[in-house]
């Protein structure tokens, strides 16, 4: 069937048949899926090649025979081998563009869309411009048949829709296969003995072991591992070192490159593979959205005594009847009021005070809550209303004394 399609195509499209002789990248019965960025009707397949040459994004195309449809791709099968699949109705062609050839259509498109100095480059390599970013450095190297040069390339950022200019090391590294086989053999030996050491290694280094096993040579077999009773190798194959493409880890400093989405009133902190945003004082929020702190969050009095904590007993019997204003628990006192009933005779007082209700979120703003005081068999023998504000990293409470003595507002971590 495939032979019949090939013969029919060469008869029906004589012009393209001549192009096929020049281009050795036409593969019948195959297609590259999930990377088509443009489709167009064409009665002769050679027009697909012209259309691909006129678009800097195009690196290959599929031709749908039954519908006479061109599918322009922004990747090649080398860059995305997992998406190169059989399809009896199509054939795949890798672009044969030459650097330095610039068609009139291509020139016009570039003038309208891009203001680059290198207008006379007909084919932009993957990752060479921000409009044509790659997923990884490995994808760039694969798209160039493993001949990509080390340097800076445009890669998709962790932020959707944004790109970052990063350094890619395309140089191959030497892999010592003898060491890899030794590691695998050791793992298999411990596995066969089902020893405690094996269990410990398996739990601690599971990820690393899987990576090493994945890197084993294709012809590896258990017969390569031969041990004596004293755990010595009787035989270990002498395998020459070989070169393999280095697995390049892309390090993007989103904070320095400016591709982060932190708020203008927030600080960006770079982390491995990502970044963190935190609002600067006097602002609050998640760092991506920051709003000014209320004045109450900036003008308060501090309650710092360790005897306010619910873990502290009653030694001096202190009363809070005389305190009025906005207060924050901090230091040895902890960070906030407890939200469950503590035992009585705690916090260095008789009746221990606690917040009967949940603390507010930042979005809730200022809320009113009830503080209960535990005495006798009643967790809320006395009560007093307080105002509470979530300031982001801490809470502030508007307290107006206590209804009696000796009562106190307790704290916890």
């Amino acid at each position: 069937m495939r032979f019949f399609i090939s013969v029919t195509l060469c008869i029906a499209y004589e012009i393209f048949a001549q192009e096929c002789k020049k281009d050795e990248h036409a593969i019948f019965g195959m297609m590259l899926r999930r990377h088509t960025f443009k489709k167009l009707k064409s009665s002769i397949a050679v027009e697909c090649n012209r259309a691909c040459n006129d678009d800097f994004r195009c690196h290959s195309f599929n031709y749908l025979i039954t519908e006479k449809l061109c599918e322009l791709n922004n990747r090649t099968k080398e860059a995305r081998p997992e998406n190169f699949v059989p399809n009896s109705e199509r054939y795949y062609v890798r672009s044969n563009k030459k650097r330095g050839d610039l068609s009139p259509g291509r020139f016009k498109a570039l003038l309208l869309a891009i203001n680059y100095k290198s207008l006379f480059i007909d084919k932009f390599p993957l990752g060479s411009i921000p409009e044509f970013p790659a997923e990884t450095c490995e994808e760039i190297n694969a798209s160039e048949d493993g001949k990509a040069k080390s340097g800076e390339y445009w890669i998709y950022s962790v932020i959707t829709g944004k790109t970052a200019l990063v350094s890619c090391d395309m140089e191959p590294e030497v892999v010592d296969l003898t060491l890899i086989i030794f590691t695998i053999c050791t793992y298999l030996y411990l596995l066969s003995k089902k020893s405690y050491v094996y269990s410990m290694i398996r739990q601690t280094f599971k990820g690393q072991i899987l990576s090493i096993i994945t890197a084993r040579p294709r012809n590896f077999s258990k017969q390569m591992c031969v041990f004596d009773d004293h755990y010595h190798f009787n035989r270990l194959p002498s395998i020459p070192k070989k070169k393999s493409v280095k697995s390049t880890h892309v390090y993007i400093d989103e904070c320095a490159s400016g591709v982060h989405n932190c708020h203008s009133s927030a600080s960006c902190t770079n982390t491995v593979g990502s970044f963190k945003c935190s609002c600067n004082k006097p602002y609050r929020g998640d760092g991506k959205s920051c709003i000014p702190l209320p004045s109450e969050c900036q003008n308060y009095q501090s309650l710092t005594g360790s005897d306010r904590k619910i873990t502290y007993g009653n030694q001096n019997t202190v009363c809070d009847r005389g305190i009025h204003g906005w207060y924050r628990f901090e230091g040895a006192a902890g960070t906030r009021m407890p939200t469950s009933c503590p035992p009585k005779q705690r916090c260095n007082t008789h009746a221990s005070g606690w917040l009967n209700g949940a603390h507010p979120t930042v979005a809730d703003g200022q809320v009113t809550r009830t503080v209960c005081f535990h005495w006798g068999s009643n967790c809320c023998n006395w009560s007093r209303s307080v105002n509470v504000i979530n300031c982001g990293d801490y809470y502030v409470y508007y307290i107006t004394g206590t209804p009696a003595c000796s009562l106190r507002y307790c704290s916890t971590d």
Side-chain angles (χ1 to χ4, degrees):
M1 180 65 181
R2 188 175 297 176
F3 175 77
F4 173 76
I5 293 174
S6 301
V7 172
T8 304
L9 282 171
C10 288
I11 294 174
Y13 307 118
E14 184 175 343
I15 299 176
F16 189 74
Q18 294 174 0
E19 291 290 331
C20 288
K21 293 177 183 178
K22 299 177 184 177
D23 190 354
E24 298 177 356
H25 297 289
I27 303 176
F28 291 89
M30 298 293 289
M31 68 171 291
L32 186 68
R33 63 179 180 178
R34 297 178 181 170
H35 294 287
T36 297
F37 67 90
K38 185 178 181 180
K39 296 181 181 180
L40 57 124
K41 286 282 188 178
S42 176
S43 58
I44 55 174
V46 71
E47 291 182 356
C48 297
N49 199 35
R50 292 171 183 167
C52 190
N53 287 336
D54 284 342
D55 197 314
F56 75 93
R57 297 169 295 177
C58 185
H59 277 216
S60 68
F61 66 87
N62 308 313
Y63 187 71
L64 179 55
I65 303 167
T66 54
E67 299 183 18
K68 297 181 179 180
L69 183 68
C70 301
E71 298 172 336
L72 305 187
N73 305 318
N74 59 12
R75 295 292 189 275
T76 61
K77 67 180 181 66
E78 287 77 17
R80 290 303 176 112
E82 71 277 9
N83 293 327
F84 191 57
V85 296
N87 188 286
S88 60
E89 297 181 347
R90 291 174 169 83
Y91 59 80
Y92 166 88
V93 179
R94 179 172 174 173
S95 172
N96 61 352
K97 297 175 184 177
K98 304 295 183 181
R99 287 178 172 83
D101 296 336
L102 189 65
S103 64
R106 168 85 173 86
F107 182 75
K108 181 178 179 181
L110 283 172
L111 287 179
L112 291 175
I114 306 172
N115 183 22
Y116 282 101
K117 295 179 181 180
S118 55
L119 287 177
F120 293 97
I121 298 177
D122 191 38
K123 176 186 175 183
F124 283 105
L126 184 61
S128 61
I129 58 175
E131 283 77 10
F132 196 32
E135 296 286 344
T136 63
C137 293
E138 290 91 339
E139 184 185 30
I140 295 172
N141 197 40
S143 68
E144 296 296 312
D145 298 325
K147 299 177 182 178
K149 295 182 179 180
S150 298
E152 292 186 331
Y153 292 88
W154 290 95
I155 303 290
Y156 280 113
S157 172
V158 293
I159 302 176
T160 304
K162 296 209 173 187
T163 59
L165 189 63
V166 303
S167 295
C168 292
D169 183 6
M170 303 298 187
E171 295 299 322
E173 65 180 355
V174 176
V175 178
D176 190 344
L177 293 181
T178 302
L179 179 60
I180 290 176
I181 291 179
F182 178 85
T183 305
I184 298 174
C185 289
T186 303
Y187 179 73
L188 292 175
Y189 176 83
L190 295 173
L191 173 62
S192 67
K193 297 299 181 181
K194 296 183 179 179
S195 64
Y196 169 76
V197 177
Y198 158 72
S199 300
M200 182 178 66
I201 291 176
R202 185 172 182 270
Q203 292 299 322
T204 307
F205 301 105
K206 182 178 180 182
Q208 292 90 327
I209 290 171
L210 289 176
S211 298
I212 292 173
I213 292 177
T214 302
R216 69 188 184 277
R218 294 183 179 179
N219 60 348
F220 173 80
S221 65
K222 292 182 180 180
Q223 286 69 33
M224 289 184 177
C225 307
V226 180
F227 305 94
D228 61 21
D229 292 336
H230 300 287
Y231 182 51
H232 293 143
F233 280 105
N234 288 335
R235 170 169 59 89
L236 185 66
S238 178
I239 301 177
K241 295 181 179 181
K242 72 171 187 178
K243 287 187 175 181
S244 66
V245 176
K246 184 183 293 184
S247 177
T248 307
H249 297 280
V250 180
Y251 178 79
I252 304 175
D253 189 338
E254 290 85 1
C255 299
S257 61
V259 297
H260 62 82
N261 58 349
C262 297
H263 191 267
S264 59
S265 297
S267 296
C268 178
T269 304
N270 191 58
T271 61
V272 178
S274 187
F275 60 94
K276 292 182 179 179
C277 303
S278 55
C279 295
N280 300 324
K281 292 182 179 181
Y283 293 87
R284 63 178 178 177
D286 60 4
K288 297 178 182 179
S289 175
C290 299
I291 58 176
L293 281 173
S295 60
E296 294 85 353
C297 292
Q298 304 174 59
N299 302 294
Y300 56 80
Q301 300 177 66
S302 296
L303 300 174
T304 60
S306 60
D307 63 336
R308 284 193 176 273
K309 299 189 82 170
I310 57 174
T311 54
Y312 195 93
N314 182 15
Q315 297 182 12
N316 302 321
T317 311
V318 180
C319 184
D320 277 343
R321 174 174 281 181
I323 66 173
H324 294 269
W326 286 99
Y327 289 88
R328 172 188 173 183
F329 295 100
E330 57 183 331
T335 59
R336 57 183 175 176
M337 287 189 191
T339 53
S340 59
C341 180
K344 56 188 177 182
Q345 300 289 351
R346 293 293 178 91
C347 317
N348 211 13
T349 193
H350 289 150
S352 311
W354 59 284
L355 193 69
N356 190 1
H359 280 85
T361 65
V362 172
D364 290 334
Q366 185 176 149
V367 300
T368 301
R369 294 286 188 266
T370 298
V371 173
C372 289
F373 298 90
H374 183 190
W375 185 248
S377 59
N378 189 350
C379 274
C380 203
N381 192 71
W382 292 281
S383 64
R384 177 62 59 92
S385 292
V386 297
N387 293 334
V388 188
I389 298 176
N390 185 333
C391 297
D393 297 327
Y394 56 92
Y395 299 95
V396 291
Y397 308 82
Y398 188 73
I399 298 172
T400 56
T402 58
C405 277
S406 291
L407 285 64
R408 206 176 190 204
Y409 294 92
C410 298
S411 62
T412 186
D413 291 323

